[in-house]
Amino acid sequence: MKCRTKLTGVTLSALMAVSLFSAAGAENVKASSPGGEDGVFTIAYAPNESTTESADARNGLAEDLSEFLGCEVEEIQASDYNAIIEALRTGSADMAYMGSQALALGVERTELEPIVMKAEEGDPEKAIYHSVLIASSANEDINSIEDIKGKTMAFVDPDSTSGNLVPTAEIIQAFPDEELNSDMLHTNGDFFEAVSYSGSHQAGLQAVIKGDVDVVPISDQILASEIANGNAAEGDVKVIHESGAIPAEAMVVAEHVDQDTRDQLTEFLTSYDNEEYFTDVIKVPGARFIECDMSDYEEIIELNKIINDF
């Protein structure tokens, strides 16, 4: 089979609208080879990893993986995490890069499996990151998490770990006398004056800098990356709260991906050392992939059940 790599601008939402795969049929279609019946292995990325700046780096991994697997590798830009989960469920995607809350939501809908997770310097002890609440440095009224009541908030995405799940839990814990729940934090006027979703960590950061909202949660690694890349100045924002450790994002495979392909993917990803990919896509210079399994995400899965009443 002649291998080639192509980058498509089609969103997952549009792709799924015309998908010929069903949940029942996906296993039979895709299980025969890494590329399945159509000869294409598909990787889905969320908006945070689908920026214009990261396109070349994503394409580089696709080209390298295409050569390794011996089939075409295609990238799909997701509209959101729900679209990724649905694509994995229906067979429109074979592998995806996602945070731990998206993974926690995904296991409620399909038998996805994490195979590798990012780790700074490839060190298992550093396979973590944090959610930070930030405000504009010019805003003198907000200096800690206790100051955010009655302000305007833009969470990232309903399925974002550091942009929604973890900050929601941390805010509830910070205001025990308020008897808060997730719905109250996501309804205008209940706790915040107004609440919205930015769609991406980067968009939330810019919203705070521009003064469109008072507070946003963001991955500390993405914040550092945006400052390092010149998209924000260090003095533009201040961190008013930092969460506990969160298990790092993972590459997950869909239920229909056979064990031999999973083993090949794990071998490829754990030995992958393209620094451009880890800097521009993974947002952690010097990071590498290490093996992982579902046990690494058990605490987030349980937290997701509590916050979302599963």
Side-chain angles (χ1 to χ4, degrees):
M1 177 182 297
K2 183 178 180 181
C3 292
R4 56 191 176 89
T5 305
K6 66 179 181 180
L7 175 64
T8 177
V10 179
T11 66
L12 281 179
S13 298
L15 176 67
M16 288 186 290
V18 298
S19 174
L20 298 179
F21 296 122
S22 66
E27 182 175 356
N28 293 330
V29 172
K30 288 285 189 179
S32 58
S33 71
E37 188 175 84
D38 61 0
V40 180
F41 185 87
T42 305
I43 308 172
Y45 288 101
N48 292 331
E49 296 83 35
S50 301
T51 61
T52 301
E53 293 81 3
S54 66
D56 289 343
R58 295 196 321 273
N59 191 247
L61 179 135
E63 291 175 349
D64 294 337
L65 183 57
S66 175
E67 182 176 354
F68 185 84
L69 293 178
C71 67
E72 180 184 343
V73 175
E74 177 183 71
E75 305 161 43
I76 295 176
Q77 178 176 327
S79 57
D80 55 35
Y81 287 110
N82 271 313
I84 289 181
I85 294 168
E86 188 65 9
L88 292 169
R89 186 186 71 82
T90 61
S92 298
D94 303 294
M95 184 170 75
Y97 184 65
M98 60 172 56
S100 47
Q101 189 194 4
L103 188 155
L105 290 169
V107 298
E108 299 291 331
R109 291 154 55 180
T110 184
E111 295 295 324
L112 58 79
E113 179 188 10
I115 56 172
V116 298
M117 66 197 305
K118 76 176 181 185
E120 186 178 348
E121 301 173 354
D123 183 351
E125 296 297 320
K126 297 180 179 179
I128 58 171
Y129 68 112
H130 302 84
S131 172
V132 292
L133 292 176
I134 62 172
S136 169
S137 295
N139 192 330
E140 298 180 356
D141 295 330
I142 305 176
N143 296 294
S144 71
I145 193 171
E146 287 80 13
D147 298 329
I148 67 176
K149 182 179 179 182
K151 303 301 190 294
T152 56
M153 162 69 89
F155 292 100
V156 173
D157 180 281
D159 301 334
S160 172
T161 312
S162 58
N164 188 41
L165 177 68
V166 169
T168 293
E170 300 259 326
I171 294 167
I172 289 173
Q173 292 170 357
F175 292 87
D177 296 336
E178 298 285 342
E179 298 183 355
L180 297 173
N181 59 42
S182 179
D183 287 342
M184 293 171 66
L185 293 182
H186 295 85
T187 302
N188 290 340
D190 279 358
F191 180 81
F192 295 111
E193 177 186 351
V195 61
S196 59
Y197 292 105
S198 65
S200 72
H201 293 259
Q202 292 88 342
L205 172 61
Q206 293 303 317
V208 159
I209 292 173
K210 295 174 182 176
D212 295 335
V213 294
D214 296 321
V215 183
V216 300
I218 184 173
S219 158
D220 61 345
Q221 293 177 340
I222 293 179
L223 175 59
S225 175
E226 288 297 286
I227 292 172
N229 290 332
N231 297 321
E234 193 165 359
D236 286 341
V237 298
K238 56 187 173 183
V239 173
I240 62 170
H241 180 76
E242 179 177 283
S243 75
I246 303 169
E249 293 93 332
M251 280 288 192
V252 306
V253 292
E255 180 179 4
H256 61 259
V257 176
D258 63 85
Q259 188 59 51
D260 182 60
T261 301
R262 294 178 188 217
D263 292 342
Q264 290 183 67
L265 292 168
T266 302
E267 177 186 351
F268 171 83
L269 291 168
T270 54
S271 62
Y272 197 59
D273 61 359
N274 186 326
E275 184 58 37
E276 183 182 8
Y277 182 81
F278 289 99
T279 299
D280 294 342
V281 182
I282 305 304
K283 311 298 185 187
V284 181
R288 294 295 183 266
F289 286 123
I290 62 172
E291 287 192 57
C292 69
D293 57 38
M294 199 65 78
S295 66
D296 293 295
Y297 297 91
E298 286 178 352
E299 290 186 10
I300 289 292
I301 291 171
E302 289 306 310
L303 178 60
N304 181 65
K305 290 178 180 179
I306 294 169
I307 294 295
N308 291 294
D309 297 322
F310 283 131

